[in-house]
Amino acid sequence: MALEKLGLWEKLVGEDSLPAWEAIPDFGLYMDQVITLMEQYLSFLPDRGERIVTSSAINNYVRLKIMPAPVKRKYYRVHLAYLMMILPMKQSVAILDIPRILPPGTDEDAVRAAYEDYARQFRKTAEFFRGQVTAVLQELEGGAEGGVSRLALESVLISSFARILAEQLIPRPEGEE
């Protein structure tokens, strides 16, 4: 079971799941199309028996000004880029911290720069974890035991330290700690 899960995860993270900026659709999509597209792009996110994103979640992100509002109920490249950054980030930081990381508004150049930097860091981090998973898969295929438990513990520790560091580095308004 662990071998199967690790193999699947290695494949999902190994694929270039985040599209290049130019490959993100820039014609108006309706909400159901956006949700379908996010499920394709972000299939590596944990499946906890629910959709990766729902229309009510997207509406909340807009209401909370975490992402820009749709234009006449349609979503464009800028909106999709925001979602591809927001959805993985909310796995490890508070949703209200995300606007402190992302550029405000819909200035396409600023959003493009932020998305391209995010995608670059995503690929770099994914490659690190893919290497970790590949090493454990090779151990398992060689008959060694303990690699899965060690990788799980290492992942938990990395996640814990990363969250603590991110919370320290995310800019806070004056007087808020």
Side-chain angles (χ1 to χ4, degrees):
M1 181 71 137
L3 188 64
E4 185 180 315
K5 283 183 178 180
L6 286 172
L8 178 61
W9 203 83
E10 179 188 40
K11 181 180 182 294
L12 286 172
V13 174
E15 295 171 354
D16 204 10
S17 58
L18 293 182
W21 177 261
E22 297 79 20
I24 301 171
D26 197 25
F27 49 87
L29 297 173
Y30 290 106
M31 181 72 79
D32 59 331
Q33 295 169 310
V34 169
I35 291 169
T36 299
L37 196 58
M38 288 304 109
E39 288 176 344
Q40 290 172 9
Y41 287 149
L42 303 175
S43 61
F44 61 88
L45 289 176
D47 177 6
R48 297 183 176 123
E50 54 194 48
R51 299 193 85 162
I52 288 172
V53 67
T54 62
S55 58
S56 61
I58 293 172
N59 290 332
N60 281 335
Y61 303 155
V62 170
R63 185 180 53 76
L64 294 169
K65 299 190 183 334
I66 295 169
M67 67 178 279
V71 178
K72 296 182 182 176
R73 302 182 73 172
K74 291 187 178 180
Y75 296 83
Y76 293 85
R77 180 180 289 150
V78 165
H79 301 101
L80 300 174
Y82 265 98
L83 286 169
M84 285 186 279
M85 294 185 287
I86 291 168
L87 295 170
M89 277 197 277
K90 78 178 191 112
Q91 304 294 314
S92 56
V93 297
I95 194 70
L96 294 177
D97 282 339
I98 292 175
R100 296 177 178 139
I101 300 168
L102 298 178
T106 56
D107 176 65
E108 188 166 333
D109 291 335
V111 176
R112 179 182 185 155
Y115 177 78
E116 288 177 343
D117 183 53
Y118 177 86
R120 216 176 2 267
Q121 292 301 323
F122 178 92
R123 283 189 292 279
K124 185 176 167 183
T125 305
E127 186 58 35
F128 167 77
F129 279 99
R130 193 164 82 72
Q132 300 299 95
V133 169
T134 300
V136 170
L137 283 171
Q138 289 171 347
E139 287 178 24
L140 289 173
E141 290 168 357
E145 293 183 23
V148 174
S149 297
R150 187 180 67 251
L151 181 58
L153 177 59
E154 181 180 289
S155 297
V156 167
L157 291 171
I158 288 170
S159 175
S160 297
F161 280 111
R163 183 176 180 123
I164 292 166
L165 179 59
E167 288 175 355
Q168 295 297 313
L169 297 176
I170 293 171
R172 304 266 179 229
E174 232 11 75
E176 184 183 316
E177 293 296 322

